[in-house]
Amino acid sequence: MNFLPGQHMKLHNHPVRELYLHVLDGSGVFILEDKEFPVEQGDVIYCQAKDKLGFTNTGEEKVSIYATMTKLIY
């Protein structure tokens, strides 16, 4: 995923998937269940299926994030 400066992603979740997000370039702020987590290049965020997640590019450069979803089987 790529985000231009000031661009954001609304809060949402992935009900039957865990999510790993690796920040490849840039910096910004993840919102995870109403808590803010500043991130920068090299950081990895883990989200459980029930977690609501959002993101804002707070920097002056493009942010690139590599996302991996794992399907949960119950």
Side-chain angles (χ1 to χ4, degrees):
M1 300 180 289
N2 295 297
F3 297 88
L4 296 174
Q7 194 172 13
H8 69 275
M9 172 176 57
K10 292 184 203 179
L11 283 173
H12 69 287
N13 68 350
H14 299 274
V16 293
R17 301 195 185 274
E18 293 177 315
L19 182 62
Y20 295 86
L21 300 156
H22 182 193
V23 181
L24 301 176
D25 292 304
S27 61
V29 175
F30 274 104
I31 299 170
L32 186 62
E33 290 298 314
D34 299 324
K35 294 181 184 175
E36 292 188 1
F37 297 93
V39 294
E40 59 186 20
Q41 182 179 3
D43 289 345
V44 175
I45 298 289
Y46 166 74
C47 304
Q48 296 179 39
K50 64 179 178 62
D51 292 342
K52 287 191 178 179
L53 168 77
F55 177 78
T56 299
N57 178 348
T58 57
E60 296 182 15
E61 298 178 4
K62 178 181 80 171
V63 174
S64 293
I65 299 169
Y66 185 80
T68 302
M69 287 187 182
T70 60
K71 185 175 182 180
L72 299 175
I73 300 172
Y74 295 97

PDB file of all heavy atoms in Angstrom, residues 1 9-11 14 19-21 27 33 46 48 54 66:
ATOM      1  N   MET A   1       0.854  -1.159   0.000  1.00  0.00           N
ATOM      2  CA  MET A   1       0.000   0.000   0.000  1.00  0.00           C
ATOM      3  C   MET A   1       0.903   1.225   0.000  1.00  0.00           C
ATOM      4  O   MET A   1       1.971   1.212   0.607  1.00  0.00           O
ATOM      5  CB  MET A   1      -0.877   0.015   1.245  1.00  0.00           C
ATOM      6  CG  MET A   1      -1.793  -1.184   1.379  1.00  0.00           C
ATOM      7  SD  MET A   1      -2.831  -1.117   2.872  1.00  0.00           S
ATOM      8  CE  MET A   1      -1.597  -1.394   4.126  1.00  0.00           C
ATOM      9  N   MET A   9      -6.105   6.153   5.794  1.00  0.00           N
ATOM     10  CA  MET A   9      -6.974   4.998   5.611  1.00  0.00           C
ATOM     11  C   MET A   9      -7.938   4.979   6.798  1.00  0.00           C
ATOM     12  O   MET A   9      -7.501   5.062   7.953  1.00  0.00           O
ATOM     13  CB  MET A   9      -6.115   3.721   5.586  1.00  0.00           C
ATOM     14  CG  MET A   9      -6.876   2.427   5.584  1.00  0.00           C
ATOM     15  SD  MET A   9      -5.785   0.977   5.446  1.00  0.00           S
ATOM     16  CE  MET A   9      -4.678   1.174   6.838  1.00  0.00           C
ATOM     17  N   LYS A  10      -9.239   4.891   6.519  1.00  0.00           N
ATOM     18  CA  LYS A  10     -10.252   4.877   7.581  1.00  0.00           C
ATOM     19  C   LYS A  10     -10.110   3.649   8.470  1.00  0.00           C
ATOM     20  O   LYS A  10      -9.612   2.609   8.049  1.00  0.00           O
ATOM     21  CB  LYS A  10     -11.652   4.846   6.972  1.00  0.00           C
ATOM     22  CG  LYS A  10     -12.052   6.077   6.250  1.00  0.00           C
ATOM     23  CD  LYS A  10     -13.495   5.903   5.801  1.00  0.00           C
ATOM     24  CE  LYS A  10     -13.827   6.792   4.640  1.00  0.00           C
ATOM     25  NZ  LYS A  10     -15.209   6.594   4.195  1.00  0.00           N
ATOM     26  N   LEU A  11     -10.622   3.773   9.700  1.00  0.00           N
ATOM     27  CA  LEU A  11     -10.652   2.632  10.617  1.00  0.00           C
ATOM     28  C   LEU A  11     -11.492   1.512  10.022  1.00  0.00           C
ATOM     29  O   LEU A  11     -12.597   1.747   9.515  1.00  0.00           O
ATOM     30  CB  LEU A  11     -11.265   3.037  11.961  1.00  0.00           C
ATOM     31  CG  LEU A  11     -10.376   3.822  12.909  1.00  0.00           C
ATOM     32  CD1 LEU A  11     -11.186   4.280  14.116  1.00  0.00           C
ATOM     33  CD2 LEU A  11      -9.192   3.005  13.348  1.00  0.00           C
ATOM     34  N   HIS A  14     -10.565  -6.706   9.561  1.00  0.00           N
ATOM     35  CA  HIS A  14     -10.659  -7.852   8.659  1.00  0.00           C
ATOM     36  C   HIS A  14     -11.105  -9.032   9.516  1.00  0.00           C
ATOM     37  O   HIS A  14     -10.268  -9.682  10.146  1.00  0.00           O
ATOM     38  CB  HIS A  14      -9.302  -8.119   7.994  1.00  0.00           C
ATOM     39  CG  HIS A  14      -8.826  -6.965   7.180  1.00  0.00           C
ATOM     40  ND1 HIS A  14      -9.195  -6.795   5.862  1.00  0.00           N
ATOM     41  CD2 HIS A  14      -8.040  -5.907   7.486  1.00  0.00           C
ATOM     42  CE1 HIS A  14      -8.642  -5.683   5.397  1.00  0.00           C
ATOM     43  NE2 HIS A  14      -7.938  -5.127   6.362  1.00  0.00           N
ATOM     44  N   LEU A  19      -3.349  -9.644  10.475  1.00  0.00           N
ATOM     45  CA  LEU A  19      -2.684  -8.756   9.534  1.00  0.00           C
ATOM     46  C   LEU A  19      -1.327  -8.336  10.084  1.00  0.00           C
ATOM     47  O   LEU A  19      -1.210  -7.980  11.256  1.00  0.00           O
ATOM     48  CB  LEU A  19      -3.571  -7.526   9.324  1.00  0.00           C
ATOM     49  CG  LEU A  19      -3.146  -6.458   8.350  1.00  0.00           C
ATOM     50  CD1 LEU A  19      -3.043  -7.023   6.934  1.00  0.00           C
ATOM     51  CD2 LEU A  19      -4.133  -5.310   8.376  1.00  0.00           C
ATOM     52  N   TYR A  20      -0.314  -8.420   9.230  1.00  0.00           N
ATOM     53  CA  TYR A  20       1.024  -7.919   9.544  1.00  0.00           C
ATOM     54  C   TYR A  20       1.333  -6.807   8.557  1.00  0.00           C
ATOM     55  O   TYR A  20       1.174  -6.985   7.346  1.00  0.00           O
ATOM     56  CB  TYR A  20       2.071  -9.033   9.407  1.00  0.00           C
ATOM     57  CG  TYR A  20       1.887 -10.147  10.396  1.00  0.00           C
ATOM     58  CD1 TYR A  20       1.032 -11.205  10.134  1.00  0.00           C
ATOM     59  CD2 TYR A  20       2.568 -10.133  11.611  1.00  0.00           C
ATOM     60  CE1 TYR A  20       0.869 -12.235  11.043  1.00  0.00           C
ATOM     61  CE2 TYR A  20       2.406 -11.166  12.527  1.00  0.00           C
ATOM     62  CZ  TYR A  20       1.554 -12.205  12.224  1.00  0.00           C
ATOM     63  OH  TYR A  20       1.388 -13.223  13.132  1.00  0.00           O
ATOM     64  N   LEU A  21       1.762  -5.653   9.060  1.00  0.00           N
ATOM     65  CA  LEU A  21       2.054  -4.499   8.220  1.00  0.00           C
ATOM     66  C   LEU A  21       3.502  -4.075   8.441  1.00  0.00           C
ATOM     67  O   LEU A  21       3.888  -3.731   9.557  1.00  0.00           O
ATOM     68  CB  LEU A  21       1.107  -3.350   8.571  1.00  0.00           C
ATOM     69  CG  LEU A  21      -0.362  -3.687   8.369  1.00  0.00           C
ATOM     70  CD1 LEU A  21      -1.245  -2.812   9.229  1.00  0.00           C
ATOM     71  CD2 LEU A  21      -0.725  -3.546   6.910  1.00  0.00           C
ATOM     72  N   SER A  27       7.052   7.469   7.151  1.00  0.00           N
ATOM     73  CA  SER A  27       6.599   7.435   8.542  1.00  0.00           C
ATOM     74  C   SER A  27       5.151   7.888   8.619  1.00  0.00           C
ATOM     75  O   SER A  27       4.635   8.519   7.704  1.00  0.00           O
ATOM     76  CB  SER A  27       7.473   8.339   9.417  1.00  0.00           C
ATOM     77  OG  SER A  27       7.381   9.683   8.972  1.00  0.00           O
ATOM     78  N   GLU A  33      -7.342   0.172  17.559  1.00  0.00           N
ATOM     79  CA  GLU A  33      -8.266   0.153  18.704  1.00  0.00           C
ATOM     80  C   GLU A  33      -8.164   1.433  19.543  1.00  0.00           C
ATOM     81  O   GLU A  33      -7.964   1.386  20.742  1.00  0.00           O
ATOM     82  CB  GLU A  33      -8.010  -1.077  19.570  1.00  0.00           C
ATOM     83  CG  GLU A  33      -8.433  -2.380  18.917  1.00  0.00           C
ATOM     84  CD  GLU A  33      -9.923  -2.454  18.623  1.00  0.00           C
ATOM     85  OE1 GLU A  33     -10.743  -2.112  19.493  1.00  0.00           O
ATOM     86  OE2 GLU A  33     -10.270  -2.852  17.502  1.00  0.00           O
ATOM     87  N   TYR A  46       1.256  -5.698  14.117  1.00  0.00           N
ATOM     88  CA  TYR A  46       0.434  -6.906  14.081  1.00  0.00           C
ATOM     89  C   TYR A  46      -0.976  -6.546  14.510  1.00  0.00           C
ATOM     90  O   TYR A  46      -1.176  -5.870  15.525  1.00  0.00           O
ATOM     91  CB  TYR A  46       1.006  -7.971  15.024  1.00  0.00           C
ATOM     92  CG  TYR A  46       0.041  -9.101  15.293  1.00  0.00           C
ATOM     93  CD1 TYR A  46      -0.216 -10.056  14.318  1.00  0.00           C
ATOM     94  CD2 TYR A  46      -0.634  -9.188  16.506  1.00  0.00           C
ATOM     95  CE1 TYR A  46      -1.112 -11.088  14.556  1.00  0.00           C
ATOM     96  CE2 TYR A  46      -1.527 -10.210  16.750  1.00  0.00           C
ATOM     97  CZ  TYR A  46      -1.763 -11.154  15.774  1.00  0.00           C
ATOM     98  OH  TYR A  46      -2.659 -12.165  16.001  1.00  0.00           O
ATOM     99  N   GLN A  48      -4.882  -8.246  15.218  1.00  0.00           N
ATOM    100  CA  GLN A  48      -5.767  -9.393  15.319  1.00  0.00           C
ATOM    101  C   GLN A  48      -7.015  -9.133  14.471  1.00  0.00           C
ATOM    102  O   GLN A  48      -7.309  -7.991  14.117  1.00  0.00           O
ATOM    103  CB  GLN A  48      -6.170  -9.617  16.770  1.00  0.00           C
ATOM    104  CG  GLN A  48      -4.999  -9.970  17.668  1.00  0.00           C
ATOM    105  CD  GLN A  48      -5.455 -10.162  19.090  1.00  0.00           C
ATOM    106  OE1 GLN A  48      -6.516 -10.713  19.350  1.00  0.00           O
ATOM    107  NE2 GLN A  48      -4.646  -9.710  20.029  1.00  0.00           N
ATOM    108  N   GLY A  54      -6.446   1.911  11.404  1.00  0.00           N
ATOM    109  CA  GLY A  54      -6.408   3.031  10.473  1.00  0.00           C
ATOM    110  C   GLY A  54      -4.976   3.521  10.352  1.00  0.00           C
ATOM    111  O   GLY A  54      -4.109   3.142  11.144  1.00  0.00           O
ATOM    112  N   TYR A  66       4.009  -2.899   3.296  1.00  0.00           N
ATOM    113  CA  TYR A  66       3.767  -4.240   2.778  1.00  0.00           C
ATOM    114  C   TYR A  66       2.830  -4.946   3.742  1.00  0.00           C
ATOM    115  O   TYR A  66       3.121  -5.037   4.943  1.00  0.00           O
ATOM    116  CB  TYR A  66       5.083  -5.004   2.649  1.00  0.00           C
ATOM    117  CG  TYR A  66       4.920  -6.362   2.017  1.00  0.00           C
ATOM    118  CD1 TYR A  66       4.810  -6.492   0.638  1.00  0.00           C
ATOM    119  CD2 TYR A  66       4.862  -7.504   2.796  1.00  0.00           C
ATOM    120  CE1 TYR A  66       4.650  -7.734   0.052  1.00  0.00           C
ATOM    121  CE2 TYR A  66       4.702  -8.749   2.217  1.00  0.00           C
ATOM    122  CZ  TYR A  66       4.603  -8.859   0.846  1.00  0.00           C
ATOM    123  OH  TYR A  66       4.445 -10.086   0.274  1.00  0.00           O
TER     124      TYR A  66
END
